Amino acid sequence: MALIQDANMFPRDFAWGAGTAAYQVEGGWQADGKGPSIWDTFCHEKGRVFGDQSGDVACNSYELWERDLECIQQLGLTHYRFSLSWSRLLPDGTTRHVNQKGVQYYNKVINDLVGCNVSPMVTLYHFDLPQALQDQGGWKSPCIASLFESYAKFCFQTFGDRVKLWITINEPYVCAKLGHEDGIHAPGLKEPGVTAYLVGHNMLRAHAMAWHGYNSYFRTAQRGLVSLAINSDWIEPLNTHCEEDIAATERYLAFTLGWFAWPLFVTGDYPEIMRSAIDAESKKLGYNGSSRLPSFSKDEPTILGTADFFALNYYTSRKIKQGEGCGNILCMKSDRDAGEVLDASWPICGVSWLAVVPDGLRKLLKYIKDTFKNPAVYITENGFSQVGPLQIEDDQRSKFYKDTIMEIAKAVQADRVDIRGYFAWTLLDNFEWADGYSVRFGLYHVDFEDEKLSRTMYQSGREYSKIILKHKFSQ
Ligand code: PNW
């Protein structure tokens, strides 16, 4: 533990945060004029979510915000990341009608945070599209980009005097793939091999238009930073001597991290490996017409350079081997032709996809530094879940946070990665999308059986707060 006691281990202004997302915690799905979102619709359909659960009430943060603020202060966080519900602010998704009650709610949240010396990091879009916009084609429609731009400008105008860190869209990969290829997230579309690429494309266009809007109209006065949160696992070839596995690993990376990071940080366009793989597969299956991967128009604002920092959501690592098609039908899996394997030595925690590999984060951070020209990095999500019998003394999760933060310290000190902050996912146990309330990621336990939805700090919360305190006193 020597490193962790070193006073210079983290930069002086390092952000110590935790995050949440509107639909996962707020509840109040119809309160005070809020319009429905695609997650409201999705959860109200039978068979979509574990136990047909929903975020109708969730942690009721819409009414219990002050209790959340106490949790934030107890932990000693310097930053809090949360998302705005688009349809709480603009019930039909457009600025034609503003719900003032929604504006009041977020003004209170932001003012309370700033009043307690906690900096807000605000996500504009965390999976919950207004249903009214889904009815017009949602993220498949090219018009969504300018609708998002208007929403973003409205938020910069309304809250940007106090908010200096913005995330436009959270995890476009997850929205595109889980929502439009696999159909396991809202809007529940299963249109493999085509729609996810279109959705990802429109998300990049929407993000870039919002960034340019901020740059032109708000940056000088508000002096904030705007980015897009990219989720990425750390990956390695299963067999490091096998050419096919090495090539598959490169392809896999191009279809995940590269899909969004290449356009933003490297070329303004998709990785060449991604386009050629998709086009080769189209040819093989006799799919005629233009590339399933859309092209950026020269007449639209550029994508390159529209991220003021690298926002990374890291959860796990994978080994990659060649070959994982889905037969002779179009799908992203066949396009990327790379399969995931979990190393038997990595412990699995809670959900089946989450192997605990803290040093994968250090490797990924070094890769980001080397590949994307040493950007400032915020780790905007990282966490560990609990499933099954409740453990308030969750020592495995405490160890996970200690180990992970140690790896970040090494990335800062030894690898000289420019890391500006770390946000644990998540402040409170909450609605974990398709898994409902069966998976708990919180630093606080929430008793969903109890009418008061009481919050209790886990041991892992205490551990995290100790680390934050140690850092504060070493400055
Ligand atoms: C992220 N998967 O999403 C989200 O940003 C959070 O809202 C979420 O609670 C957190 O990770 C934990 O899951 C993901 O199935 C959702 O692979 C699902 C997956 C990955 C990330």
Side-chain angles (χ1 to χ4, degrees):
M1 292 299 281
L3 258 175
I4 210 130
Q5 273 146 16
D6 182 333
N8 298 318
M9 186 176 57
F10 291 99
R12 176 188 283 276
D13 297 327
F14 196 82
W16 294 101
T20 56
Y23 189 75
Q24 295 182 274
V25 297
E26 281 179 6
W29 77 283
Q30 286 184 306
D32 297 337
K34 176 184 167 293
S37 82
I38 55 174
W39 270 94
D40 293 313
T41 309
F42 189 72
C43 293
H44 295 154
E45 288 168 13
K46 291 256 164 291
R48 293 294 202 174
V49 170
F50 173 86
D52 288 330
Q53 295 171 338
S54 78
D56 288 1
V57 178
C59 308
N60 196 14
S61 294
Y62 187 64
E63 289 180 346
L64 301 177
W65 154 248
E66 284 172 7
R67 181 69 192 99
D68 295 354
L69 182 64
E70 281 170 25
C71 298
I72 291 166
Q73 288 185 287
Q74 258 166 19
L75 287 167
L77 303 182
T78 65
H79 287 63
Y80 179 57
R81 175 178 178 229
F82 64 98
S83 82
L84 306 178
S85 157
W86 187 343
S87 62
R88 191 181 294 291
L89 288 166
L90 311 177
D92 72 0
T94 75
T95 47
R96 281 195 295 269
H97 169 54
V98 175
N99 176 22
Q100 289 306 333
K101 286 282 172 83
V103 174
Q104 269 169 31
Y105 172 66
Y106 293 118
N107 267 333
K108 175 160 174 53
V109 169
I110 293 167
N111 291 342
D112 286 353
L113 287 169
V114 173
C116 296
N117 219 5
V118 177
S119 305
M121 175 187 269
V122 173
T123 306
L124 295 176
Y125 184 77
H126 200 124
F127 303 174
D128 50 350
L129 192 72
Q131 182 61 41
L133 300 184
Q134 185 62 40
D135 296 342
Q136 297 161 45
W139 289 105
K140 285 164 76 168
S141 160
C143 306
I144 194 73
S146 59
L147 289 163
F148 182 77
E149 181 192 15
S150 304
Y151 163 58
K153 280 187 182 158
F154 167 79
C155 296
F156 299 148
Q157 176 83 47
T158 310
F159 307 115
D161 54 334
R162 289 150 292 156
V163 175
K164 304 300 161 192
L165 290 170
W166 293 99
I167 299 293
T168 55
I169 296 176
N170 182 67
E171 300 189 346
Y173 176 90
V174 170
C175 299
K177 179 146 188 308
L178 278 58
H180 301 81
E181 167 105 7
D182 305 334
I184 56 176
H185 274 198
L189 299 182
K190 261 192 206 170
E191 301 176 356
V194 180
T195 303
Y197 300 128
L198 180 59
V199 165
H201 190 71
N202 286 331
M203 288 191 151
L204 278 167
R205 293 176 53 240
H207 160 79
M209 282 163 72
W211 184 92
H212 283 287
Y214 190 81
N215 212 37
S216 306
Y217 302 108
F218 300 99
R219 189 183 296 278
T220 317
Q222 297 185 354
R223 307 192 158 277
L225 301 173
V226 181
S227 191
L228 170 153
I230 298 181
N231 58 296
S232 183
D233 302 342
W234 171 249
I235 57 165
E236 286 171 9
L238 180 63
N239 177 347
T240 49
H241 303 293
C242 166
E243 291 294 327
E244 280 87 16
D245 286 1
I246 295 170
T249 304
E250 273 184 37
R251 260 195 327 275
Y252 187 92
L253 198 61
F255 274 83
T256 49
L257 177 65
W259 183 2
F260 300 99
W262 235 254
L264 292 168
F265 291 94
V266 186
T267 59
D269 202 349
Y270 298 112
E272 195 36 52
I273 306 180
M274 183 180 184
R275 185 175 299 281
S276 53
I278 291 171
D279 292 349
E281 188 70 7
S282 290
K283 207 169 159 192
K284 196 173 108 194
L285 296 178
Y287 179 91
N288 296 316
S290 51
S291 175
R292 284 177 284 129
L293 188 64
S295 294
F296 294 105
S297 158
K298 298 238 168 349
D299 303 329
E300 287 201 350
T302 51
I303 310 285
L304 183 63
T306 62
D308 298 324
F309 56 93
F310 199 108
L312 172 70
N313 294 356
Y314 171 81
Y315 284 93
T316 191
S317 294
R318 296 270 185 270
K319 297 273 166 91
I320 303 296
K321 64 176 170 33
Q322 191 189 347
E324 200 204 41
C326 28
N328 275 339
I329 51 160
L330 289 178
C331 70
M332 193 186 291
K333 263 187 179 174
S334 294
D335 290 334
R336 75 184 177 199
D337 192 24
E340 304 171 351
V341 184
L342 288 174
D343 188 309
S345 71
W346 296 336
I348 298 288
C349 76
V351 274
S352 59
W353 56 268
L354 213 167
V356 186
V357 198
D359 68 340
L361 175 56
R362 178 181 176 189
K363 293 178 191 167
L364 180 58
L365 288 165
K366 176 76 166 61
Y367 174 86
I368 287 171
K369 176 188 177 193
D370 295 342
T371 312
F372 305 118
K373 305 187 204 97
N374 195 19
V377 180
Y378 282 89
I379 298 156
T380 36
E381 278 181 35
N382 172 253
F384 181 114
S385 62
Q386 205 180 119
V387 176
L390 171 66
Q391 266 187 294
I392 293 287
E393 297 303 316
D394 54 343
D395 21 74
Q396 254 196 317
R397 297 175 74 227
S398 299
K399 180 173 172 340
F400 163 86
Y401 278 112
K402 259 194 293 198
D403 291 351
T404 301
I405 291 167
M406 180 68 85
E407 292 300 323
I408 300 170
K410 291 182 202 160
V412 169
Q413 291 195 327
D415 306 338
R416 299 277 162 212
V417 185
D418 183 6
I419 307 170
R420 304 286 173 93
Y422 173 79
F423 291 75
W425 186 268
T426 169
L427 181 68
L428 308 168
D429 285 345
N430 59 41
F431 177 77
E432 177 52 25
W433 308 115
D435 290 323
Y437 299 95
S438 66
V439 173
R440 296 175 178 270
F441 270 96
L443 294 167
Y444 278 79
H445 172 260
V446 176
D447 184 351
F448 294 105
E449 304 296 316
D450 165 23
E451 222 172 277
K452 295 200 195 90
L453 293 163
S454 56
R455 283 92 157 124
T456 310
M457 199 193 266
Y458 285 110
Q459 185 194 317
S460 52
R462 290 203 297 279
E463 188 60 50
Y464 186 39
S465 74
K466 269 200 283 184
I467 295 173
I468 299 174
L469 256 189
K470 206 180 274 174
H471 170 77
K472 283 188 182 158
F473 282 118
S474 68
Q475 292 299 306

